Amino acid sequence: MKILIVDDSKAMRMIVTRTLKQAGFSGHTTAEASNGVEALQKIEEDTPDIVLCDWNMPEMNGIELLGKVREAQHNVRFGFITSESSAETKALAIENGADFVLTKPFTADSMQLALEPVFA
Amino acid sequence: MIDGPTLWQLTEQACDGMLGLPIAPCDDARNSFDFALSAQIKISGDAEALLSLHSEASFARHLAATMYMAESNALEEDEINDALGELVNIIAGNIKGMCPGETFLSLPCVGQSLADEPDTTPAENIVEVRGTCEGHGFTMRLASSIMSALPA
């Protein structure tokens, strides 16, 4: 599978990549984007299978990106990895077509629980 | 209300739980740390709060080295700033999740230490925790103007 990791923090993109492997999701191709604008371009060009996206980013935030992805009917599974942990945030994400929300800080175990259904 | 133990717990979850960096509380006076960098992030809306992380240079490098899995002396300044900013972003996002009503999170801002600056934050309540991570000092400080809106 092709996984696009979207986060304005390079450190967090590296942590997500590392934790994916620790959670047992190794052997997949990963690409990175540092904001929603860059991510949208990569989704159109590279057609990833899964997008793992931060919420709070400059240029275009995660929920705006999700809106554009669903509007363009890109067939991609989309999940948030975000510190925005309120029930309202999670509900907003799901209402807008997100497949899951994983809250930061996360562990390999919590990532595995959140992503297993998506990778199945 | 967000109290000291809650702020400490959120910091510990981010540092130790996610990054494997154990932290220990420190009762030393604030000035016993030689702060070099500060990272700040603001929550606005129905609750107003400013979260500040004041960090010794060695804490910032240690944090960034762990996040980047790199030698601390091989890190660029923007990588160190990125690591500090992401830590306050994670903790502030969790605090935002405890706030009722509609709130917004700013992007983190990182720069030279503000720990010695006069405190002009119009806050009703200030919570501060101090600690060390493998000998490297930091202070996490939450100033809020509507603490009654922040539940335990």
Side-chain angles (χ1 to χ4, degrees), chain B residues 21-56:
Chain B
L21 286 174
I23 59 172
C26 178
D27 295 329
D28 290 350
R30 182 171 170 175
N31 289 338
S32 67
F33 292 141
D34 183 16
F35 292 122
L37 289 167
S38 290
Q40 292 190 317
I41 191 164
K42 189 176 181 187
I43 296 169
S44 57
D46 292 338
E48 300 272 341
L50 179 70
L51 181 69
S52 304
L53 165 62
H54 304 304
S55 161
E56 288 191 313

Side-chain angles (χ1 to χ4, degrees), chain B residues 93-104:
Chain B
N94 291 174
I95 292 170
K96 177 180 179 287
M98 298 175 180
C99 298
E102 193 171 21
T103 52
F104 307 93

Side-chain angles (χ1 to χ4, degrees), chain B residues 3-144:
Chain B
D3 55 13
T6 304
L7 184 58
W8 180 261
Q9 185 184 25
L10 294 174
T11 306
E12 193 168 41
Q13 284 170 353
C15 288
D16 197 0
M18 187 172 80
L19 301 171
L21 286 174
I23 59 172
C26 178
D27 295 329
D28 290 350
R30 182 171 170 175
N31 289 338
S32 67
F33 292 141
D34 183 16
F35 292 122
L37 289 167
S38 290
Q40 292 190 317
I41 191 164
K42 189 176 181 187
I43 296 169
S44 57
D46 292 338
E48 300 272 341
L50 179 70
L51 181 69
S52 304
L53 165 62
H54 304 304
S55 161
E56 288 191 313
S58 62
F59 175 83
R61 283 197 169 273
H62 191 55
L63 177 73
T66 302
M67 285 186 169
Y68 281 94
M69 284 191 83
E71 292 295 324
S72 61
N73 57 9
L75 293 161
E76 303 287 340
E77 184 182 346
D78 63 340
E79 292 173 328
I80 293 168
N81 291 351
D82 177 33
L84 276 185
E86 186 58 23
L87 181 59
V88 292
N89 183 52
I90 290 170
I91 296 167
N94 291 174
I95 292 170
K96 177 180 179 287
M98 298 175 180
C99 298
E102 193 171 21
T103 52
F104 307 93
L105 197 60
S106 75
L107 292 170
C109 177
V110 184
Q112 284 190 324
S113 175
L114 301 171
D116 295 328
E117 296 292 314
D119 191 352
T120 57
T121 311
E124 291 171 8
N125 206 320
I126 293 172
V127 175
E128 187 173 284
V129 294
R130 291 186 293 274
T132 57
C133 175
E134 296 171 349
H136 312 294
F138 69 91
T139 292
M140 195 70 72
R141 182 177 185 274
L142 179 68
S144 174

Side-chain angles (χ1 to χ4, degrees), chain A residues 20-42:
Chain A
L20 274 170
K21 290 176 185 162
Q22 291 167 352
F25 303 109
S26 50
H28 301 287
T29 307
T30 57
E32 297 181 8
S34 61
N35 60 58
V37 173
E38 197 182 316
L40 195 58
Q41 191 179 343
K42 292 200 173 181

